[in-house]
Amino acid sequence: MPILLTNTATGTTVELPDQLDWTDEVWSPVVQAKTTTSTGALLIEEALKQSGKPYTLVGTDDKAWCTRDLVETLNAWSAAPGAVLTLTIRGTPRSVTWDHEQGALEGFPLFFAADGSIQSSDIYVPTLRLIGI
């Protein structure tokens, strides 16, 4: 099943490598704050997060590669503050934005290419850090 990412501002959809590891698929929606009162008692407050589910999609040296062209497209999308995207993963569309606090996007070449010989078809290993909104 393909992993799709749609830029809702432009309506453009890209297909991401389907072997990306969703490293934080299992997460806890509970937020917790612990404080100690002036009497020394522990006060614990808990609630369910209204949004903020992480979607970290990671490629590796041996799978889930993409082209430099795709990394450049994603980089341009991540440069737009407040970008709203639709991530379709496991067959379900989800509204997300880039998680800039965690580094948003990484892409490094699988093979070294000398400056001046880099091409849009070169193979890159991507990491996308998105967050549910």
Side-chain angles (χ1 to χ4, degrees):
M1 186 171 297
I3 301 173
L4 305 174
L5 190 63
T6 302
N7 183 328
T8 59
T10 65
T12 306
T13 298
V14 295
E15 186 169 333
L16 302 174
D18 63 356
Q19 291 185 339
L20 286 169
D21 289 328
W22 182 4
T23 60
D24 44 19
E25 181 176 7
V26 176
W27 76 298
S28 174
V30 176
V31 63
Q32 182 183 71
K34 297 182 279 187
T35 55
T36 304
T37 69
S38 60
T39 65
L42 179 63
L43 177 64
I44 299 174
E45 297 178 89
E46 293 181 333
L48 288 176
K49 293 179 183 177
Q50 300 298 309
S51 59
K53 178 172 177 51
Y55 296 91
T56 305
L57 307 175
V58 180
T60 64
D61 288 346
D62 61 350
K63 67 177 185 175
W65 305 331
C66 65
T67 63
R68 177 182 174 87
D69 187 51
L70 177 56
V71 170
E72 288 177 340
T73 296
L74 296 172
N75 192 46
W77 289 7
S78 72
V84 176
L85 310 164
T86 301
L87 173 67
T88 303
I89 188 167
R90 309 272 193 272
T92 303
R94 297 159 164 90
S95 187
V96 298
T97 192
W98 295 100
D99 191 347
H100 290 284
E101 189 175 272
Q102 297 300 318
L105 176 69
E106 292 178 24
F108 63 88
L110 186 61
F111 303 106
F112 173 79
D115 193 30
S117 66
I118 297 171
Q119 299 179 29
S120 63
S121 60
D122 288 350
I123 302 300
Y124 275 63
V125 179
T127 297
L128 292 79
R129 293 181 187 90
L130 305 160
I131 190 163
I133 52 176

